[in-house]
Amino acid sequence: MSFLRSDTPADLLKHLLLILVLVGALVFGFFQVYLPITTNHGETIVVPKVTGMNQADLEDYLDERNLDYLVDDSTYNSGIKPGTVLQQEPKAGEQVKEGRKLYVTVSMKNPPVIKMPKLTDGSVKNAQMILKSYDLVVGQLKFVPNILKDAVLRQSVNGKEIAAGDPITKGTRVDLEVGDGLGNQEFPVPNLVNMPADEATTLLVGQGLQVGEIFYEPAPNGEADGMVIKQRPVPGAGSTIRMGQLVDLWVAGSAPLKAVE
C-alpha cells in the first residue's frame, strides 16, 4: 500500500524563492546584457568639428566616423567660398550614438535675388541700416545741393537708378545721392554756351536748376544746329544763382516740329 507525499511549508517556500531568483536573473540579463548588446548602450562618438570644411569632403569624413549629415539651411556670404560649412548641430565635442545625423548650414554659390527696398525720402542713416538688414552694401554717398539735409534723393546701381521693388541680388553695392542742406546757398551760374542743348538741360537738372524758355535762332557764328549760343542769366563776372531758379537758353537752328495729334 502506497501513500502520496505532500510538500511541507518549508519546501513550498524554497520553491517560491527559486522562482523569484530565476525571474530576477532573467530581468537582469535582459536589461544589463541583451539590451546593451543590441542597442550599443553606452557606446558614443564625440562629434567632430566640421565647420569650415567643404561640403564635398563631408560625406567621406563623417562616414569614416559612423556619422551622417543633412544640409538643412544655406546662406550667402560674398567673402566665404561656396559650399563651406558655416554651422553644425550637434556642436563639436558633444557625444552622440553611431549613425547620428549632423544638420549643417552651408554657404550658397549664387546670391539670392530680393526686392530692392525704398530708400528715397528717408535719411541716409536709415538707408544704411536698411541696406545692411537686406544684406546689401552701402556704395558711394554723393552729396548734392539740396535743402533736404541728409535726405536720400536717389538710389542707383552701377550708375543706373533702381526703383523700389526691382530685383537685386544680395551683396550688391547701392550708391546713394544725398542732399547736403545747402540748397538755399548761391553758386556760380554754369556756362552752357557751345554745349549741345540736351547736355545743357541735363546739367541744369543735375545742379538743381530748372530749364526756362528755349529760343531758336540762326547761329551768328555758324555754330552747328542744336548748340547753345546764348543763355540767361549770363555766366561769369561773379554772377550767381540759387537752386530751383530758371535758366533760359538760345539754341542754334529751327524749333523742332511738334507732333500732330
Side-chain angles (χ1 to χ4, degrees):
M1 185 174 182
S2 62
F3 297 92
L4 295 174
R5 180 176 176 273
S6 61
D7 291 335
T8 63
D11 293 332
L12 291 174
L13 181 60
K14 289 179 182 179
H15 294 158
L16 181 60
L17 289 175
L18 180 60
I19 293 172
L20 291 175
V21 170
L22 291 174
V23 172
L26 289 173
V27 172
F28 178 84
F30 179 78
F31 285 102
Q32 300 299 322
V33 179
Y34 176 75
L35 281 183
I37 292 176
T38 57
T39 63
N40 293 326
H41 180 71
E43 295 182 14
T44 58
I45 301 173
V46 177
V47 176
K49 179 184 178 182
V50 297
T51 54
M53 292 183 58
N54 192 282
Q55 184 185 352
D57 304 324
L58 204 54
E59 184 171 355
D60 291 340
Y61 181 79
L62 292 178
D63 188 57
E64 293 174 356
R65 290 158 177 78
N66 297 322
L67 295 171
D68 197 2
Y69 81 97
L70 175 69
V71 177
D72 70 338
D73 197 8
S74 58
T75 184
Y76 178 77
N77 189 316
S78 59
I80 298 178
K81 184 180 178 181
T84 302
V85 178
L86 304 176
Q87 297 178 4
Q88 67 176 87
E89 183 61 39
K91 306 295 184 184
E94 294 186 21
Q95 294 193 356
V96 298
K97 291 184 179 181
E98 291 183 357
R100 174 64 186 269
K101 187 173 292 185
L102 273 62
Y103 296 91
V104 298
T105 300
V106 299
S107 59
M108 299 172 61
K109 180 179 180 180
N110 298 315
V113 177
I114 59 174
K115 291 184 178 181
M116 177 67 195
K118 186 179 188 305
L119 307 176
T120 53
D121 300 330
S123 69
V124 64
K125 184 177 181 179
N126 187 58
Q128 291 172 319
M129 294 174 60
I130 293 175
L131 289 175
K132 185 176 181 181
S133 68
Y134 276 74
D135 290 331
L136 297 170
V137 180
V138 179
Q140 180 184 11
L141 298 181
K142 182 182 179 181
F143 288 87
V144 297
N146 194 288
I147 59 175
L148 300 176
K149 182 174 175 57
D150 293 333
V152 177
L153 307 175
R154 186 172 179 265
Q155 53 193 40
S156 59
V157 174
N158 296 326
K160 295 182 179 180
E161 189 167 1
I162 181 170
D166 285 353
I168 186 173
T169 56
K170 286 189 176 183
T172 300
R173 185 178 299 274
V174 180
D175 300 324
L176 303 176
E177 204 169 271
V178 184
D180 62 3
L182 304 177
N184 289 330
Q185 291 190 359
E186 294 184 348
F187 54 94
V189 176
N191 186 2
L192 310 173
V193 177
N194 296 324
M195 182 181 295
D198 56 348
E199 292 184 15
T201 56
T202 300
L203 177 63
L204 290 175
V205 173
Q207 293 191 1
L209 299 171
Q210 297 186 57
V211 180
E213 294 189 76
I214 298 181
F215 305 96
Y216 293 88
E217 61 180 40
N221 300 314
E223 291 88 351
D225 288 351
M227 301 293 290
V228 176
I229 56 178
K230 189 168 57 175
Q231 70 179 80
R232 183 177 55 202
V234 178
S239 60
T240 58
I241 194 170
R242 293 179 182 272
M243 183 175 291
Q245 287 187 323
L246 299 173
V247 177
D248 298 327
L249 301 176
W250 280 259
V251 179
S254 303
L257 296 176
K258 293 184 179 180
V260 179
E261 297 181 357

